[in-house]
Amino acid sequence: MSAASTLIGVIDLPGNERDALVDAIARDGVAVCAVDRAADLPDDISLVVVHARAVPSCEWHMLSNRWPTLVVSAKRDDDDLLKAVDAGLVDYVIDPLRHAYLLRRMIRRVLDVHRLAQQREADRRRLEELNENLETHLVMLRLDQQAGGQIQRRLLPARSQQFRDICCDYWMAPSLYLSGDFLDIQAFNERYTLFYFADVSGHGASSAFVTVLLKYLFNQLQSQWDGLYPEQLPPRWLKALNGELLDTGIGKHATLFVGVIDQQRHYLHYSLGAQLPMPLLKSGSETTILEGEGMPVGLFPQAEYPQLGCDLPDDFSLWLCSDGVLECLPGDSLEVRLEELRSRVMESENLESMRRSLALGTRGEDDDTDDPAADREELPDDLTIMLVSGFRHEC
């Protein structure tokens, strides 16, 4: 507040002493309005200087509640000093004309303090308004994410499906509402079953959008395939998906496993897009890691993906886990946790026993709720386990 825009109110009895007091205050360049009583003061004053002879001490409290108030007096009165303290006055100056320089310094200090208090109050109101807007946007964002999560779950295949001699089940728990993990499995015909398991980088809305793209491209792939050369299908689809992700320019990449099960040959055609942890193939007392490696999808324009395959035993189960599952396992290194995962797979007969061994509880079972107000505890990462089994394996 500039001195020119500052208006100081003076309440004193008319006369030479009041005029002298006004002149003394106005030397700092502030405007001064002198009145006989408080009721005549304008509303826009910044400070009131009250002479004790014009306003009784019983009215000081009323003034100080409305404006910063400074009392001046011609003489010292100890009783008035105590009342000034009780009334909350900013100061009490004795013989103001003799100490005019001190009076002006006090007025400047009071004005500075008052200006800072006004700024703090304005800042507080602005922060309250911003906080209220933020809370509103957070509620809207939460509702949007819950709605998106419900749509995403409806894009997933049904659980506990059977495709002739092949069974599939899965368990998925998003980090919060939307998941970057996704999977699908579909029967192309009586002979071939197509499936994939994906883990998109990050989690949240942008990762979930990529899973919608995966769903669309997978359906497109299946509709355009003529049923010939199944060994070429997984790497061809990964390459196409790599180009699509790069073209979107959203900066997202994914790890994927794509498989085609030939139920006639008992054979798995597959390709890898940096899947971690690697799929585990269990049969009898043996659990092996599928061979091969490939680059992640959505990072390298010229990436080529391997054409791989393996025989499927009569009684097999293929386990695919997202990397979030590794965070549920003990161990100080990745190698230790991968070996622990392999051990858990060895000991697990089905998806439920695997969940129990990882102490995952019931998380994910209530994710089919349509209640947008349902609150959930945020997980450190999306968790997904997919189990594909056959031919004589009990589903």
Side-chain angles (χ1 to χ4, degrees):
M1 183 182 296
S2 66
S5 63
T6 303
L7 178 61
I8 305 297
V10 172
I11 305 176
D12 195 3
L13 300 177
N16 294 334
E17 291 190 10
R18 188 176 78 174
D19 295 342
L21 179 62
V22 170
D23 290 341
I25 296 173
R27 288 179 188 175
D28 260 0
V30 297
V32 181
C33 172
V35 297
D36 302 343
R37 56 195 184 102
D40 296 332
L41 287 171
D43 293 331
D44 57 344
I45 59 174
S46 303
L47 170 71
V48 179
V49 177
V50 179
H51 204 294
R53 66 191 171 208
V55 179
S57 58
C58 61
E59 296 181 13
W60 295 351
H61 188 272
M62 179 271 294
L63 290 171
S64 65
N65 282 340
R66 188 172 180 185
W67 299 289
T69 303
L70 191 153
V71 170
V72 297
S73 176
K75 61 180 180 179
R76 178 188 178 93
D77 186 325
D78 292 341
D79 187 50
D80 274 356
L81 282 174
L82 292 175
K83 291 177 180 177
V85 173
D86 293 340
L89 302 181
V90 295
D91 219 320
Y92 187 101
V93 179
I94 299 170
D95 196 356
L97 296 180
R98 182 182 177 188
H99 303 99
Y101 176 72
L102 175 63
L103 176 63
R104 286 193 295 272
R105 289 192 62 177
M106 285 185 175
I107 289 174
R108 287 197 296 269
R109 182 175 64 83
V110 171
L111 292 177
D112 287 343
V113 171
H114 184 58
R115 184 183 66 254
L116 291 174
Q118 287 181 317
Q119 289 178 350
R120 283 198 298 272
E121 179 61 20
D123 290 343
R124 186 187 63 79
R125 288 197 296 268
R126 185 173 61 85
L127 288 175
E128 285 182 350
E129 184 178 351
L130 290 174
N131 189 56
E132 185 176 344
N133 291 336
L134 181 61
E135 290 289 341
T136 301
H137 284 107
L138 282 176
V139 170
M140 294 175 61
L141 178 62
R142 185 178 297 113
L143 291 174
D144 286 346
Q145 294 236 336
Q146 288 171 339
Q150 293 174 27
I151 293 173
Q152 189 181 40
R153 287 191 292 279
R154 280 160 175 72
L155 294 176
L156 289 166
R159 295 179 58 179
S160 300
Q161 289 193 83
Q162 186 154 1
F163 308 90
R164 288 190 59 196
D165 296 331
I166 298 296
C167 301
C168 177
D169 197 3
Y170 66 89
W171 173 82
M172 176 181 289
S175 171
L176 189 55
Y177 299 107
L178 297 170
S179 177
D181 293 351
F182 203 74
L183 58 89
D184 202 357
I185 183 166
Q186 296 182 26
F188 177 76
N189 54 27
E190 291 292 312
R191 180 174 179 179
Y192 296 115
T193 303
L194 285 61
F195 68 100
Y196 68 91
F197 185 89
D199 184 352
V200 181
S201 59
H203 49 263
S206 59
S207 299
F209 292 152
V210 174
T211 65
V212 175
L213 178 64
L214 287 175
K215 178 73 176 182
Y216 166 75
L217 292 175
F218 185 65
N219 290 340
Q220 186 182 54
L221 169 82
Q222 185 173 243
S223 64
Q224 294 176 351
W225 188 39
D226 56 7
L228 300 176
Y229 310 109
E231 67 280 5
Q232 298 179 5
L233 194 62
R236 183 156 56 87
W237 188 61
L238 286 179
K239 185 173 182 178
L241 179 61
N242 184 56
E244 290 284 349
L245 277 182
L246 288 170
D247 288 345
T248 61
I250 59 176
K252 286 290 181 181
H253 66 275
T255 61
L256 274 103
F257 176 89
V258 183
V260 178
I261 295 178
D262 185 340
Q263 297 198 43
Q264 182 175 311
R265 284 183 58 197
H266 287 203
Y267 195 85
L268 172 65
H269 303 281
Y270 68 93
S271 187
L272 293 162
Q275 171 65 29
L276 180 74
M278 288 288 286
L280 296 169
L281 182 62
K282 176 183 174 183
S283 179
S285 60
E286 292 187 358
T287 299
T288 58
I289 300 173
L290 289 190
E291 296 181 349
E293 58 182 12
M295 289 185 283
V297 175
L299 282 180
F300 306 104
Q302 305 302 323
E304 297 288 341
Y305 295 92
Q307 179 177 305
L308 303 165
C310 68
D311 292 317
L312 292 174
D314 285 344
D315 183 5
F316 81 93
S317 59
L318 181 65
W319 295 79
L320 299 105
C321 302
S322 63
D323 58 358
V325 175
L326 295 177
E327 299 184 26
C328 303
L329 295 169
D332 297 330
S333 65
L334 176 62
E335 289 72 17
V336 173
R337 294 188 178 190
L338 289 174
E339 187 56 35
E340 184 65 28
L341 177 62
R342 184 174 178 177
S343 175
R344 301 294 176 94
V345 168
M346 278 292 298
E347 298 167 357
S348 301
E349 293 296 327
N350 50 43
L351 198 60
E352 183 57 33
S353 60
M354 181 66 168
R355 285 179 57 185
R356 287 198 299 270
S357 75
L358 295 171
L360 293 175
T362 59
R363 181 59 198 260
E365 290 180 346
D366 61 345
D367 288 344
D368 291 334
T369 178
D370 289 330
D371 182 7
D375 202 4
R376 300 182 174 88
E377 180 183 358
E378 185 173 2
L379 293 172
D381 199 354
D382 303 320
L383 306 177
T384 305
I385 304 173
M386 183 180 189
L387 174 60
V388 180
S389 58
F391 293 93
R392 298 177 184 173
H393 189 275
E394 184 177 350
C395 298

